[in-house]
């Protein structure tokens, strides 16, 4: 007898015989979740035609899956115009079969078929529209934040100082180690690469210029902004997004508190204040890294390094770097909070938005930095 | 059948959170085929007890045996085998939010059986039909469902592997009375049809009257077990307030199991 056997040793079978003109299907053993995998395959290969009887007298155990399969078999027979009747249904199984029959639904047909190229085109269009809408929403959010900031400036009592200081500590003070270390290493890298190339012209001393100008104008602020975007921008999105999932943001609104004033403004202001401070610190650490490298590899004394750096750097060099810092901080905070508020009510969207927040803020920062370069070139600074 | 009639046996269970003792020397046994309800005030450790039974938490002391296996001392193979014999419904459904409802129900089937995808999909739809959800729910994401629908979908997933033992954490909480009746009716019919054993934590007195065979009340760090008729005579202040308070009387009157309990 063909039987479907499983690892747990349970077997269910379906034997095919003939009884006069009728085909006799005898179900036996267990018709449960453990056995119906094999039974379903056997049923799919059955030749359903003519007059048939499905005998259930020998079924020892039946669960919802087994009941489904019996009803499925009856349905298939009907579809193929075979006259199948049910025999030997046990009283203890009748109720279950009735329950399952009521719960069975016509199989839903899933979407219509599309040409793959058309699908790609459609997805491209959808994504483009979505991106544009995101851009518009971000600008709208910028406006809302500007209003909330303006209100806070007019009435400083609306500013949540404890929240502001706590975010400054987390985004600023707690980032000192990583920002300092990375800036120091970047200083070393710049000095080493510069020395290598400049040595060919015998102009090793200009390594100092390279490190000083490179760090102060570009690398210091850029590195700091990227680290802060990864550390704090993502944290903002995750925090606000989790609150969104828990309906906490909706709760704030119903209490009559503005989530932008309460959550976004302190975070954005914190980054606005902290990023210039971190940038200054990164500049100094980068110069220190360059100096250490210069002293160790180039046989330049610290005094020489300092005097050469002083020659190379004008006050404007320093300020060109520093002026970008608050703007970058603002952008990171803005994007982080915006993406957090865009989270829908699922855990997955928190992750998605967090990633997007980091990518978007780094993208905007680099675009802005390029813009600044062009602007300063035109202004001849 | 050779199987012992007690499906769950708990001996001398102790639960501690730091200094706080939640359960002390708690004993309990649940029989095959019954609907056993666990009730108790806030913080008496109802959900904790349920989590200890399914092995999500380890008790500080004591032994928990489910279907003859000690859940604290399972090798991975036995644990896998045991876990497919029970289903659990979490309070808010705990559906995987990155999967559609259909994929949620399909996950245990795909993992534990050799059934072909087309049959699995129809089984998932069947389970949705069983818990009273429309067929198009199968391709929806949990975030698109209401709280009550999420709960039903969670129940459908718990039923995916046709378990012998069903754990329900507050199955009717947050549902409207009609939906709650529907869940009660569903549990009752499944129990009758499949011989399920059901262990549920609930606060719903109507549900207690409608479907529970026995009730365990968590009081004074232990569990006091009885039927509604016997517990209603209990003189413990919490139990008295619970069953004989206005809501308790209303439920008893509506359920019609305890004669003359209504307020007339």
């Amino acid at each position: 007898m063909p039987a479907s056997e499983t690892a747990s040793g349970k077997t269910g079978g379906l034997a095919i015989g003939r009884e006069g003109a009728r085909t006799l299907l005898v179900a036996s053993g267990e018709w449960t979740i453990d056995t119906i995998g094999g039974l379903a395959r056997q049923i799919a290969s059955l030749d359903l035609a003519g007059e048939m009887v499905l005998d259930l007298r020998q079924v020892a155990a039946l669960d919802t899956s087994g009941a489904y399969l019996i009803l499925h078999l009856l349905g298939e027979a009907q579809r193929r115009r075979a006259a199948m009747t049910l025999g030997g249904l046990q009283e203890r199984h009748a109720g279950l079969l009735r329950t399952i029959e009521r719960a069975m639904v016509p199989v839903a047909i899933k979407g219509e078929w599309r040409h793959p190229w058309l699908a790609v085109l459609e997805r491209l269009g959808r994504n483009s529209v979505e991106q544009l809408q995101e851009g518009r929403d971000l600008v709208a959010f910028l406006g809302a934040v500007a209003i909330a900031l303006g209100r806070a400036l007019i009435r400083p009592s609306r500013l949540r100082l404890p929240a502001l200081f706590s975010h400054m500590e987390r985004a600023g003070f707690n980032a000192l180690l990583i920002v300092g270390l990375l800036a120091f290493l970047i200083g070393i890298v710049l000095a080493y690469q510069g020395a290598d190339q400049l040595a060919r012209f015998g102009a090793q001393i200009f390594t100092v210029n390279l490190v000083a100008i490179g760090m102060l104008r570009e690398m210091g602020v850029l590195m700091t902004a990227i680290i802060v975007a990864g550390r704090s921008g993502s944290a903002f999105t995750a925090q606000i997004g989790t609150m969104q999932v828990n309906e906490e943001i909706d709760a704030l609104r119903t209490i009559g508190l503005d989530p932008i004033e309460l959550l976004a403004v302190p975070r954005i202001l914190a980054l606005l204040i902290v990023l210039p401070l971190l940038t200054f610190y990164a500049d100094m650490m980068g110069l220190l890294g360059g100096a250490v490298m210069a002293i160790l590899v180039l046989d330049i004394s610290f005094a020489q390094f300092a005097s050469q750096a002083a020659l190379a750097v004008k006050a404007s060099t320093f300020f060109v770097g520093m002026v970008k810092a608050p703007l970058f901080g603002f952008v990171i905070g803005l994007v982080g909070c915006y993406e957090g508020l865009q989270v829908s009510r699922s855990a997955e969207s928190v992750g998605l938005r967090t990633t997007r927040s980091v990518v978007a803020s780094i993208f905007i920062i680099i675009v802005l930095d390029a813009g600044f370069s062009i602007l300063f070139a035109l202004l001849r600074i | 059948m050779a199987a012992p009639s007690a499906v769950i046996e708990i001996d001398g269970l102790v639960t501690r959170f730091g200094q706080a003792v939640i359960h002390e020397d708690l004993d309990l046994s649940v029989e095959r085929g019954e609907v056993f309800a666990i009730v108790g005030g806030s913080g008496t450790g109802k959900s904790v007890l349920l989590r200890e039974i399914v092995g999500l938490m380890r008790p500080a002391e004591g032994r928990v045996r489910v279907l003859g296996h000690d859940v604290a001392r399972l090798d991975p193979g036995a644990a896998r085998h045991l876990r497919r014999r029970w289903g659990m419904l979490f309070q808010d459904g705990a559906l995987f939010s990155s999967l559609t409802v259909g994929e949620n129900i399909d996950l245990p089937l795909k993992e534990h059986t050799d059934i072909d995808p087309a049959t699995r999909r129809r089984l998932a739809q069947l389970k949705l039909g069983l818990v009273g959800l429309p067929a198009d729910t199968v391709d929806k994401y949990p975030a698109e469902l209401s709280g009550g629908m999420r709960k039903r979908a969670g129940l459908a997933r718990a039923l995916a592997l046709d378990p012998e033992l069903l754990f329900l954490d507050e199955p009717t909480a947050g549902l409207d009375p009609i939906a709650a009746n529907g869940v009660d009716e569903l549990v009752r019919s499944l129990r009758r049809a499949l011989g399920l054993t059901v262990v549920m934590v609930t606060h719903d007195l109507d549900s207690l009257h409608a479907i529970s065979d026995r009730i365990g009340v968590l009081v004074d760090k232990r569990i006091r077990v009885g039927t509604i008729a016997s517990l209603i005579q209990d003189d413990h202040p919490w139990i008295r307030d619970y069953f004989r308070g206005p809501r308790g009387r209303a439920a008893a009157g509506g359920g019609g199991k305890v004669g003359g309990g209504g307020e007339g």
Side-chain angles (χ1 to χ4, degrees):
Chain A
M1 183 162 88
S4 166
E5 198 163 338
T6 64
S8 51
K10 293 172 179 165
T11 56
L14 184 66
I16 304 152
R18 295 203 66 86
E19 191 191 69
R22 301 189 301 178
T23 310
L24 195 59
L25 297 171
V26 181
S28 63
E30 304 232 357
W31 279 57
T32 62
I33 188 82
D34 294 311
T35 58
I36 70 155
L39 289 169
R41 280 190 289 276
Q42 194 189 342
I43 283 171
S45 65
L46 277 182
D47 180 26
L48 299 172
E51 214 177 320
M52 308 182 90
V53 177
L54 177 59
D55 188 353
L56 301 178
R57 206 161 295 131
Q58 292 172 42
V59 172
L62 187 71
D63 66 5
T64 60
S65 319
Y68 157 76
L69 201 59
I70 287 168
L71 291 166
H72 171 71
L73 178 55
L74 287 173
E76 278 297 293
Q78 197 177 26
R79 206 170 58 78
R80 296 197 217 160
R81 309 199 182 288
M84 186 181 286
T85 49
L86 213 55
L89 176 63
Q90 300 165 53
E91 184 54 40
R92 62 194 172 115
H93 295 153
L96 178 61
L97 269 182
R98 262 198 302 280
T99 309
I100 298 304
E101 194 172 14
R102 256 181 285 140
M104 290 241 297
V105 284
V107 178
I109 297 149
K110 207 181 173 184
E112 76 247 58
W113 186 83
R114 263 216 192 85
H115 195 280
W117 283 109
L118 215 60
V120 168
L121 204 62
E122 186 193 319
R123 200 147 7 121
L124 188 71
R126 271 183 204 286
N127 282 348
S128 310
V129 172
E130 245 168 58
Q131 292 294 335
L132 288 174
Q133 279 171 343
E134 288 264 299
R136 189 195 58 196
D137 290 351
L138 187 61
V139 172
F141 183 68
L142 174 69
V145 167
I147 292 169
L149 268 175
R151 259 192 258 140
L153 287 180
I154 294 165
R155 275 202 289 157
S157 61
R158 299 191 78 129
L159 208 55
R160 321 267 155 177
L161 285 180
L164 177 64
F165 289 133
S166 133
H167 288 301
M168 282 172 66
E169 184 193 341
R170 275 191 264 175
F173 185 76
N174 293 351
L176 281 180
L177 188 70
I178 181 86
V179 168
L181 183 67
L182 288 181
F184 185 82
L185 291 175
I186 291 286
I188 286 182
V189 170
L190 276 181
Y192 191 74
Q193 292 300 328
D196 221 31
Q197 299 298 320
L198 291 169
R200 300 182 190 183
F201 307 104
Q204 280 162 315
I205 191 69
F206 286 107
T207 305
V208 181
N209 296 41
L210 176 72
V211 172
I213 296 175
M215 270 327 283
L216 295 187
R217 270 191 88 121
E218 296 291 342
M219 293 311 282
V221 66
L222 216 51
M223 285 303 300
T224 310
I226 289 170
I227 294 165
V228 170
R231 265 187 102 251
S232 305
S234 60
F236 291 173
T237 308
Q239 287 159 2
I240 297 177
T242 312
M243 290 180 74
Q244 186 80 270
V245 173
N246 284 340
E247 291 185 298
E248 289 171 51
I249 306 282
D250 298 334
L252 281 178
R253 286 205 177 95
T254 55
I255 295 169
L257 294 168
D258 179 12
I260 293 180
E261 182 185 316
L262 201 69
L263 302 172
V265 166
R267 285 177 168 82
I268 294 173
L269 268 185
L271 286 194
L272 193 75
I273 296 168
V274 141
L275 207 73
L277 299 175
L278 279 177
T279 299
F280 178 74
Y281 167 71
D283 286 352
M284 293 308 118
M285 292 305 281
L287 286 180
L288 191 65
V292 166
M293 202 61 197
I295 291 163
L296 289 180
V297 181
L298 299 177
D299 288 331
I300 299 174
S301 72
F302 189 77
Q304 267 179 300
F305 184 91
S307 67
Q308 182 67 26
L311 275 178
V313 173
K314 291 175 285 181
S316 64
T317 313
F318 171 70
F319 285 113
V320 161
M322 288 304 282
V323 80
K324 299 180 220 169
L327 185 68
F328 289 177
F330 183 80
V331 165
I332 296 167
L334 188 78
V335 172
C337 294
Y338 167 76
E339 293 290 348
L341 288 169
Q342 292 301 306
V343 166
S344 63
R345 290 206 56 200
S346 77
E348 194 195 18
S349 84
V350 177
L352 198 76
R353 289 287 170 176
T354 306
T355 311
R356 199 182 277 191
S357 143
V358 175
V359 173
S361 46
I362 292 177
F363 173 77
I364 297 176
I365 283 166
I366 291 176
V367 168
L368 281 177
D369 195 50
F372 269 115
S373 289
I374 295 169
L375 181 72
F376 290 138
L378 289 176
L379 293 175
R380 295 180 197 287
I381 299 175
Chain B
M1 254 199 270
S5 71
V7 179
I8 299 171
E9 295 162 279
I10 300 176
D11 289 318
L13 179 102
V14 178
T15 309
R16 283 190 215 100
F17 287 124
Q19 292 291 307
V21 178
I22 310 291
H23 306 126
E24 196 166 22
D25 197 21
L26 184 150
D27 297 327
L28 174 67
S29 98
V30 175
E31 307 290 316
R32 183 172 292 275
E34 73 174 337
V35 176
F36 188 89
I38 300 170
V39 303
S42 302
T44 52
K46 304 180 293 288
S47 293
V48 171
L49 183 60
L50 202 59
R51 295 172 78 85
E52 283 169 341
I53 294 173
V54 296
L56 288 173
M57 272 179 69
R58 277 183 90 134
E61 284 166 43
R63 207 177 54 152
V64 178
R65 292 176 73 81
V66 178
L67 298 164
H69 297 276
D70 189 334
V71 290
R73 287 183 196 75
L74 282 177
D75 58 276
R80 197 176 149 86
H81 187 65
L82 187 60
R83 292 216 161 109
R84 49 168 304 186
R85 293 172 67 191
W86 73 44
M88 171 136 184
L89 168 65
F90 289 88
Q91 252 185 52
D92 197 33
L95 295 169
F96 307 116
S97 54
S98 55
L99 303 179
T100 64
V101 171
E103 289 164 343
N104 260 284
I105 301 170
D106 191 45
L107 188 68
L109 289 170
K110 198 159 99 186
E111 200 52 38
H112 288 296
T113 69
D114 63 340
I115 303 169
D116 59 287
T119 306
R120 287 207 311 264
R121 185 174 165 83
R122 285 195 293 266
L123 276 177
Q125 279 172 327
L126 167 69
K127 299 286 143 107
L128 286 175
L130 263 182
V131 298
L133 286 173
D136 63 346
T137 318
V138 80
D139 287 323
K140 284 191 176 152
Y141 283 92
E144 300 171 72
L145 303 182
S146 71
M149 289 169 86
R150 272 206 295 281
K151 198 156 263 188
R152 281 164 179 266
L155 189 56
R157 187 180 67 190
L159 292 171
L161 288 172
D162 274 302
E164 297 164 46
L165 187 52
L166 192 59
F167 296 102
L168 310 172
D169 196 355
E170 307 245 9
T172 54
L175 297 185
D176 66 78
I178 298 169
N181 277 341
V183 171
D184 285 348
E185 187 52 47
L186 174 65
V187 172
R188 189 157 41 188
S189 75
L190 287 174
R191 200 258 302 240
R192 203 171 38 220
L194 303 172
L196 275 179
T197 309
V198 181
V199 177
M200 61 175 182
V201 167
T202 186
H203 267 305
D204 185 345
L205 281 151
D206 291 313
S207 185
L208 282 182
H209 281 279
I211 56 174
S212 67
D213 298 312
R214 287 195 308 155
I215 298 167
V217 189
L218 280 165
V219 281
D220 305 330
K221 295 169 189 166
R222 311 238 168 135
I223 194 160
R224 214 174 279 204
V225 178
T227 60
I228 287 194
S230 73
L231 285 169
I232 230 159
Q233 309 296 329
D234 203 299
D235 274 332
H236 187 284
W238 195 88
I239 300 179
R240 198 181 52 215
D241 288 352
Y242 188 83
F243 287 102
R244 291 192 242 166
R247 284 163 187 277
R249 284 201 303 269
K257 276 199 179 177
V258 181
E263 283 195 280

